[in-house]
Amino acid sequence: MTFVFHGFTVFVFHFKLEAMSTHINAPEGAIAPNILLPGDPLRAKFIAETFFENPKCYNEVRGMYGFTGTYKGVPVSVQGTGMGQPSLSIYVTELFKFYNVQTAIRVGTCGAVNADTQLRDTIIVNSACSDSCLLNQRFGNMHYAPTADFKLVKTADSIAEKMGIRYQVGSVASSDFFYDKNENWKKWAEYGVLGIEMESAELLTLAAEYKRKAMAIMTVSDHILLGGQTTAEERQTTFTNMIKLALDTIVAQNK
Ligand code: HPA
């Protein structure tokens, strides 16, 4: 648009500020290429306000907060995904399809299913099994193996080792049930799965579909086999370690 002001022609540029997708109300360029994905939107807010430099909120639709800032100078975003694979699927599809997100790390909690895994342990997820019908709908009677990006896993592994935290690299199972009367976890445990959660398989599958990089990092919040839950204070410390591990992995990838 142009108009004439005191004899001079003035150009007014119209920036595209409208939202680009249904569930994320952010303009083009408001979301960084690297993103952390907690299930809980209040965790997204906490991560941005605690760890980011200059955090700015880009999404409040349905209370599913999204923020962008920098961490150690690297642009990074954090977006709540809600609980369960269908909810995560909505947000991650929009992030990949409309906002050009390239690297996504889910940060969440899981329940442990074997005696070698303890409460508060960190799990770097290299693959995710699932009992969800989302995989059936995509693959029918074929069996896809949702797999994390190897470089992300390798980088997180070396950072976790340097941090000196208790951690394992392995698979989780993304269940559609939190309250699972079938006790599917017993079968997963027999096959070496380390923890049960509800979102990672869909994230890794979408990353494959859109040719992006993804991984998940979990802390063990409850022990399904042995019983017991972490206290709020313990959850805070392990949560902080997990977020630092995820953010330092992103920084290392951007060097
Ligand atoms: N089951 C499913 N999801 C979970 C659990 C669990 O025990 N703990 C944390 N997320």
Side-chain angles (χ1 to χ4, degrees), residues 109-111 175 177-178 196-198 221-222 224:
T109 57
C110 69
S175 176
F177 283 113
F178 185 88
I196 310 295
E197 50 89 79
M198 299 184 72
S221 59
D222 51 293
I224 300 173

Side-chain angles (χ1 to χ4, degrees), residues 141-153:
N141 60 6
M142 294 159 73
H143 296 275
Y144 179 69
T147 308
D149 178 76
F150 176 69
K151 263 194 160 178
L152 281 176
V153 172

Side-chain angles (χ1 to χ4, degrees), residues 1 9 21 32 127 153 163 185 207 238:
M1 188 211 302
T9 304
S21 72
S127 66
V153 172
M163 286 171 81
W185 65 269
T238 45

Side-chain angles (χ1 to χ4, degrees), residues 190-202:
E190 265 179 54
Y191 285 80
V193 163
L194 301 175
I196 310 295
E197 50 89 79
M198 299 184 72
E199 292 84 11
S200 295
E202 178 64 6

Side-chain angles (χ1 to χ4, degrees), residues 49-213:
E49 288 170 354
T50 310
F51 297 92
F52 288 6
E53 299 116 19
N54 302 315
K56 288 199 174 58
C57 183
Y58 64 74
N59 191 52
E60 288 186 347
V61 177
R62 290 177 181 248
M64 203 57 82
Y65 292 118
F67 287 81
T68 298
T70 58
Y71 176 78
K72 299 186 179 171
V74 175
V76 61
S77 295
V78 59
Q79 172 67 55
T81 63
M83 287 180 280
Q85 296 186 74
S87 181
L88 174 136
S89 192
I90 291 169
Y91 293 99
V92 173
T93 298
E94 292 184 16
L95 291 168
F96 285 166
K97 209 166 163 178
F98 302 111
Y99 293 98
N100 203 27
V101 165
Q102 297 296 320
T103 301
I105 302 181
R106 166 165 153 68
V107 283
T109 57
C110 69
V113 290
N114 69 61
D116 298 332
T117 306
Q118 297 178 10
L119 287 177
R120 302 181 59 185
D121 280 3
T122 297
I123 297 173
I124 297 170
V125 175
N126 64 2
S127 66
C129 311
S130 185
D131 56 20
S132 170
C133 70
L134 291 180
L135 284 172
N136 295 348
Q137 290 202 56
R138 282 198 184 87
F139 297 100
N141 60 6
M142 294 159 73
H143 296 275
Y144 179 69
T147 308
D149 178 76
F150 176 69
K151 263 194 160 178
L152 281 176
V153 172
K154 194 174 162 202
T155 306
D157 174 56
S158 68
I159 293 171
E161 198 171 336
K162 280 193 204 113
M163 286 171 81
I165 58 175
R166 256 190 71 95
Y167 79 101
Q168 297 176 71
V169 180
S171 62
V172 292
S174 306
S175 176
D176 276 351
F177 283 113
F178 185 88
Y179 301 105
D180 183 7
K181 287 187 180 156
N182 297 326
E183 299 194 313
N184 286 352
W185 65 269
K186 288 184 178 163
K187 178 70 88 182
W188 294 127
E190 265 179 54
Y191 285 80
V193 163
L194 301 175
I196 310 295
E197 50 89 79
M198 299 184 72
E199 292 84 11
S200 295
E202 178 64 6
L203 169 63
L204 303 185
T205 306
L206 283 169
E209 186 178 337
Y210 286 91
K211 313 282 178 281
R212 309 299 159 87
K213 294 179 176 151

